[in-house]
Amino acid sequence: MRPNIDQQRQQLMRDGYVILREMIRPDELETLRVSVDAIVEKAKVSSGRVTMTDWVDKQTGNVVEFCFDDRIFNFSRQLMNAPDAAPLGMWVLCSSGTGWHRDIHPIDMAPLDGLQEDIESNGPPYVQWNIALYDDNYLHVIPESHLRRNNNAERKVERRFGVVPLPGAISVDLKAGDGVVYINAILHSATLNGDNKRRTFHLGYQAFGGRGFTHFFLPATMGIHFVEHLKSWATERCHYFEKLHTKRHNDVAFILRAILEKDKLAFENGLNWIHRSEHARMTTLVVLSKIAYLIRKYKDSEAEDHANDPCIQSVTDRFTASELEQLWRRFVVLDSKLQSDNEQYEPLFQSGPMKYFFYEMPVDFGVKNFIASWDE
Ligand SMILES: O=C(O)CCC(=O)C(=O)O
Ligand SMILES: [Fe+2]
């Protein structure tokens, strides 16, 4: 008997991943393979990954429709216990590997302890998928590592070492048509397995309107530039996704303005609105500090190093440069609590050595202290 959604949610929370057998029906598998091969061919790559929405056309629209299908969209939403959800991007993984890591970059995210507290209290705000069109045993995970720090064995390893043996690591053995959904704070890696043709959908869904808030903002959204190739139900879904992202931009801009104007009530209402649970709200406040930093940094910036410009711009545009300077001053005390005097470093994260803590949330500093710090 297949486990029900509650059991699957428990499994996700406990292990950090859930394998779903035969997600793709045998009759679908062949048409999806044809489309994905056409996309990979068009993109002229055979290893690494291809962004599907860059290459999709009328003939290959079924791959995007598949990723919007209820088996993935609705299931992700239910797993995250969220009223709404939207994908962040959709790729095809071709033959390529990567060493051990968590998809966490503490330079512009909250420290891991805070993220894990939030996941534990409020459920994951994001789930990531690998769905295999051909048998795929590239992915490895360390079960349960999504809710703990690195252990001693893991601390001795660097991502560049590749898929070295680590205690408890398992290979995620997917047959064609199987999928795995996981919390990407989990330690994971992918072996280079050049003999096996790899064509695996790789995508993530973000939760909207759930108990917590996103852990990473402002990521580029998928956009809607490809919807003309989709069936009408999928086009509608894509517009719905984009609206969720826009609404989130508006909410964030509202809260940042309340902070700028020292409007305590509007700020508290806004924060409670985007992060409804009273648990781990501080984690979201740290995420807001990272946004304030980012939009100040990229205001009027000529830098082309940031792939996410349109989304950053959409929030940045609502503030003048001097407002952004002032806004950042409201976060200076909190930001100092997120840093050490000494350089910090932990392997298997996606940030290099820096003064920001990788694990530790500020001690004895909560939302009330943040408000009080505006006048310091
Ligand atoms: O190739 C894989 O399955 C893993 C990819 C990965 O680690 C990532 O996208 O962060
Ligand atoms: Fe990863």
Side-chain angles (χ1 to χ4, degrees):
M1 214 173 68
R2 276 195 177 237
N4 66 31
I5 182 72
D6 290 327
Q7 291 164 325
Q8 287 167 317
R9 197 183 288 127
Q10 279 167 20
Q11 200 183 337
L12 178 72
M13 291 301 290
R14 184 190 64 222
D15 302 338
Y17 68 99
V18 179
I19 294 175
L20 296 134
R21 300 289 173 198
E22 296 175 33
M23 287 187 64
I24 306 179
R25 294 187 306 272
D27 64 299
E28 281 176 306
L29 194 57
E30 202 42 48
T31 50
L32 287 171
R33 282 177 174 176
V34 169
S35 293
V36 159
D37 279 340
I39 285 176
V40 171
E41 176 92 1
K42 224 165 137 184
K44 295 195 172 57
V45 299
S46 55
S47 65
R49 62 181 67 194
V50 177
T51 304
M52 287 197 279
T53 45
D54 287 349
W55 301 98
V56 72
D57 58 22
K58 239 344 162 260
Q59 271 69 50
T60 58
N62 62 328
V63 297
V64 173
E65 286 155 8
F66 175 76
C67 295
F68 289 179
D69 187 275
D70 276 340
R71 276 167 286 180
I72 306 167
F73 159 66
N74 206 27
F75 189 71
S76 298
R77 199 165 63 140
Q78 290 178 326
L79 272 183
M80 296 186 289
N81 236 331
D84 291 299
L88 265 188
M90 298 181 303
W91 300 269
V92 185
L93 295 175
C94 302
S95 316
S96 68
T98 171
W100 289 105
H101 66 285
R102 306 175 187 270
D103 293 345
I104 303 284
H105 20 97
I107 184 83
D108 57 5
M109 296 174 77
L112 188 65
D113 290 355
L115 301 177
Q116 290 175 335
E117 185 199 347
D118 186 49
I119 293 169
E120 222 160 2
S121 313
N122 304 319
Y126 179 76
V127 285
Q128 192 153 291
W129 287 86
N130 282 15
I131 304 168
L133 294 176
Y134 296 86
D135 294 359
D136 177 346
N137 59 1
Y138 281 67
L139 185 70
H140 289 63
V141 298
I142 301 183
E144 301 176 23
S145 58
H146 62 303
L147 288 180
R148 61 160 176 80
R149 296 180 175 188
N150 294 345
N151 62 28
N152 284 339
E154 292 151 6
R155 295 194 73 181
K156 296 194 180 93
V157 169
E158 293 282 349
R159 183 174 186 169
R160 64 174 187 278
F161 296 178
V163 191
V164 294
L166 278 175
I170 59 148
S171 148
V172 177
D173 200 0
L174 302 179
K175 298 292 168 224
D178 295 347
V180 59
V181 57
Y182 52 105
I183 296 174
N184 67 346
I186 199 168
L187 285 163
H188 62 283
S189 61
T191 25
L192 253 180
N193 195 343
D195 294 343
N196 294 359
K197 174 168 177 174
R198 191 185 205 202
R199 296 287 183 269
T200 292
F201 291 132
H202 183 64
L203 63 148
Y205 269 88
Q206 268 195 333
F208 287 79
R211 289 164 55 76
F213 186 60
T214 180
H215 287 174
F216 176 52
F217 206 63
L218 307 145
T221 67
M222 277 183 327
I224 50 165
H225 55 284
F226 50 86
V227 294
E228 61 185 300
H229 307 306
L230 306 181
K231 295 205 176 77
S232 63
W233 70 266
T235 302
E236 266 170 48
R237 214 159 250 197
C238 199
H239 284 290
Y240 151 79
F241 295 145
E242 209 52 22
K243 270 195 199 131
L244 291 174
H245 289 296
T246 305
K247 170 92 176 45
R248 182 164 277 172
H249 291 147
N250 294 343
D251 289 346
V252 165
F254 172 87
I255 296 169
L256 294 180
R257 182 152 298 279
I259 295 171
L260 173 69
E261 290 172 2
K262 298 188 183 177
D263 184 339
K264 180 172 173 288
L265 196 64
F267 161 64
E268 283 182 327
N269 285 341
L271 182 62
N272 300 355
W273 169 253
I274 62 166
H275 186 113
R276 293 178 200 187
S277 161
E278 49 191 276
H279 301 290
R281 229 174 235 154
M282 197 56 204
T283 300
T284 288
L285 189 52
V286 175
V287 174
L288 289 171
S289 82
K290 301 297 182 182
I291 299 169
Y293 180 85
L294 199 73
I295 57 176
R296 167 174 164 266
K297 181 169 170 196
Y298 285 98
K299 180 74 181 173
D300 303 327
S301 161
E302 307 266 292
E304 283 177 17
D305 62 336
H306 221 285
N308 308 323
D309 272 6
C311 288
I312 294 173
Q313 288 312 331
S314 102
V315 179
T316 306
D317 285 349
R318 305 167 202 221
F319 298 91
T320 65
S322 83
E323 283 176 335
L324 290 175
E325 289 303 322
Q326 216 171 8
L327 176 66
W328 180 244
R329 284 205 286 279
R330 309 265 185 275
F331 282 99
V332 161
V333 175
L334 169 58
D335 188 62
S336 72
K337 307 260 174 209
L338 293 166
Q339 298 185 53
S340 161
D341 293 336
N342 314 313
E343 198 145 78
Q344 303 288 304
Y345 179 69
E346 265 291 310
L348 312 186
F349 287 79
Q350 296 176 326
S351 293
M354 58 176 181
K355 292 209 166 157
Y356 286 105
F357 294 112
F358 282 66
Y359 291 124
E360 297 89 354
M361 286 289 285
V363 193
D364 298 330
F365 191 88
V367 175
K368 294 267 178 282
N369 305 83
F370 172 67
I371 293 171
S373 80
W374 296 345
D375 290 318
E376 273 178 34

